Amino acid sequence: MPLLILVALFAIADFAVLFTLGAKIGLLASLVWIVASGALGIHLIRRESLLTLQRARARMAAGEIPSDEILAGASFVLAGILLIAPGFLSDIVGLICLAPGSGQLMRRWSTRGSRGAGPKGAEIPGDWDAHRRDSDSTASSADTDPIEGEYLGKER
């Protein structure tokens, strides 16, 4: 509920700044800014979602978890959505999301609350990839042999 209130207050402030600056710089300049930032936002969402999907597939094919790619893509999509929204404040926040260090800042912010304890106090390892690599290196050859069995087909 507090997040909804913050979003509503941000939208009200965004429109207030839009109307105030629009009165000072003129209607035509405001409309050009809104259309240009919206076009940039749509371009970012289309381009970065495809690139993020390709990078995530490549990491998954290599047997790694694509968490960095997904968070970087989410940062670009968030920036695109903020640029599509009409308003100067949302455009400024969207441009901040495009800054080079914003993806790592978003990663730190998103993982800060999730580390340490999972459901019902279960411990979540801090470096999941290192944990997976350690468990893979200790696997014996018996664990990697295929499991034999019979296939029972579905009768038609």
Side-chain angles (χ1 to χ4, degrees):
M1 186 66 147
L3 181 63
L4 183 61
I5 293 171
L6 286 174
V7 169
L9 289 175
F10 180 76
I12 291 169
D14 199 14
F15 281 116
V17 169
L18 175 67
F19 293 140
T20 304
L21 285 177
K24 291 187 185 216
I25 66 172
L27 177 65
L28 185 60
S30 297
L31 288 177
V32 168
W33 177 264
I34 289 170
V35 170
S37 67
L40 176 64
I42 290 171
H43 174 72
L44 272 174
I45 290 174
R46 290 181 73 188
R47 185 185 68 145
E48 287 301 321
S49 61
L50 291 175
L51 289 175
T52 300
L53 182 63
Q54 290 172 352
R55 287 190 301 255
R57 283 185 180 173
R59 291 239 356 225
M60 286 175 43
E64 299 174 357
I65 298 173
S67 60
D68 293 337
E69 283 77 15
I70 291 172
L71 281 173
S75 175
F76 279 109
V77 169
L78 176 64
I81 290 170
L82 288 170
L83 287 170
I84 291 171
F88 291 106
L89 286 180
S90 60
D91 292 344
I92 290 170
V93 174
L95 291 174
I96 289 172
C97 287
L98 292 176
S102 65
Q104 291 186 357
L105 182 65
M106 183 182 237
R107 178 186 166 115
R108 249 187 266 146
W109 177 75
S110 66
T111 58
R112 180 178 48 183
S114 65
R115 296 249 170 136
K120 297 185 181 182
E123 191 68 26
I124 297 174
D127 187 5
W128 179 253
D129 289 332
H131 175 71
R132 187 174 49 82
R133 284 190 300 269
D134 291 342
S135 65
D136 288 347
S137 65
T138 59
S140 66
S141 63
D143 292 341
T144 59
D145 290 338
I147 299 173
E148 294 185 24
E150 294 181 24
Y151 173 74
L152 300 177
K154 203 176 194 182
E155 294 184 12
R156 298 181 187 191

